[in-house]
Amino acid sequence: MKQAVILITGGSRGIGAATARLAAQQGYCVIINYRIDIHEAQKVARDIQQCGGIAHCLQADVSQPEQVKAMFDYIRQKWGAIRALVNSAGILSKQTRFVDTTPERWQALFQTNVFGTMSCCQQAFTHMATSLGGQGGSIVNVSSIAALYGSPNEYVDYAASKGAIDSFTKGFALEVANEGIRVNGVRPGLIYTQMHAEGGEVGRVDRLAPTLPLKRGGKPEEVAEAIMWLISPKSSYSTANFIDVGGGR
């Protein structure tokens, strides 16, 4: 029996990589999208293959719509239509007050975090929609707890990009519900990933973890569990919903 295909953007590291490994354990043919670091993507693929799973690496910059379309076209040609999509690709800029940021920074954040997710969802529709001959499918967009709290003095523009993802997820989910497509979101909180180093503070999770009800940072694998539950038939009556994985925040 042919395995269902799942595409995970930003699948070479952090939450995306953890989700790729879990998806493979659950029997998916995993397509690991990456933008730059082919070595990290290949490492995730090897981990999956060594455990008997199926994984392939595919380069594309999701901030570029033409690359997104080419990626989806190639997947259909090579492995068949996707049945699941996890939009995990995202970028983060250095911590700073919003008044000190620039329009160029906002544009870069939104181009990847928002427009990249929207482009992937639009292309996934052509693979999944029953009106186009598809078999339906499930999409999970990775947002952030920052969308709810605004991340003042650190990442207001990043938080705004994730707020846009929340609004888009809700609207798109309701628009495609009658096409056999479920669309949900996961909002991670303080998770141990490389993104904090990119923001300029490697120890950010450790600094803020004591302020959380659970008193600790989260693991990428814990977020992956929520993502894959929403992807799976176990959540078959859930769409336009969100799971917060934030340690009680």
Side-chain angles (χ1 to χ4, degrees):
M1 182 177 177
K2 188 176 181 180
Q3 291 177 295
V5 176
I6 185 171
L7 168 63
I8 301 172
T9 71
S12 65
R13 62 181 193 165
I15 292 169
T19 305
R21 293 186 176 98
L22 184 57
Q25 292 172 20
Q26 296 181 6
Y28 283 91
C29 170
V30 182
I31 311 300
I32 301 165
N33 159 257
Y34 68 96
R35 182 171 64 96
I36 295 175
D37 199 338
I38 186 173
H39 299 295
E40 286 299 307
Q42 289 175 335
K43 181 180 183 300
V44 177
R46 283 196 301 271
D47 289 346
I48 290 172
Q49 292 160 358
Q50 288 171 1
C51 294
I54 297 176
H56 307 280
C57 301
L58 191 56
Q59 192 280 331
D61 183 346
V62 299
S63 73
Q64 305 301 312
E66 69 280 1
Q67 292 190 34
V68 171
K69 184 179 186 307
M71 174 172 64
F72 275 82
D73 288 347
Y74 183 82
I75 291 171
R76 187 195 292 272
Q77 178 185 3
K78 188 79 173 178
W79 300 292
I82 68 167
R83 292 296 304 277
L85 167 66
V86 178
N87 283 305
S88 183
I91 62 172
L92 183 71
S93 296
K94 297 294 183 182
Q95 291 173 329
T96 189
R97 296 190 311 159
F98 175 73
V99 294
D100 297 323
T101 61
T102 65
E104 290 76 19
R105 169 174 156 146
W106 313 336
Q107 289 165 3
L109 282 168
F110 273 69
Q111 194 65 43
T112 294
N113 297 357
V114 182
F115 303 145
T117 293
M118 293 170 72
S119 292
C120 288
C121 285
Q122 191 175 60
Q123 291 298 320
F125 177 84
T126 68
H127 282 232
M128 298 175 178
T130 54
S131 65
L132 299 177
Q135 300 180 53
S138 183
I139 298 172
V140 173
N141 295 328
V142 179
S143 177
S144 172
I145 289 287
L148 304 179
Y149 294 97
S151 201
N153 301 307
E154 290 189 317
Y155 308 114
V156 169
D157 47 2
Y158 172 82
S161 76
K162 293 302 187 176
I165 287 298
D166 286 1
S167 295
F168 169 73
T169 298
K170 189 77 171 182
F172 184 61
L174 299 176
E175 192 171 282
V176 302
N178 65 345
E179 292 279 5
I181 303 171
R182 295 187 302 108
V183 186
N184 292 287
V186 168
R187 288 188 285 240
L190 289 168
I191 309 298
Y192 286 102
T193 70
Q194 300 95 316
M195 288 192 77
H196 299 287
E198 295 172 4
E201 186 183 357
V202 175
R204 182 171 180 264
V205 176
D206 289 332
R207 173 173 64 86
L208 295 174
T211 69
L212 301 176
L214 288 184
K215 305 299 182 183
R216 68 172 178 86
K219 301 174 183 178
E221 291 77 12
E222 292 175 302
V223 184
E225 290 285 354
I227 290 171
M228 289 308 299
W229 182 79
L230 287 171
I231 288 290
S232 77
K234 294 178 181 178
S235 64
S236 58
Y237 200 52
S238 295
T239 197
N241 290 322
F242 298 85
I243 295 178
D244 294 343
V245 188
R249 186 178 180 187

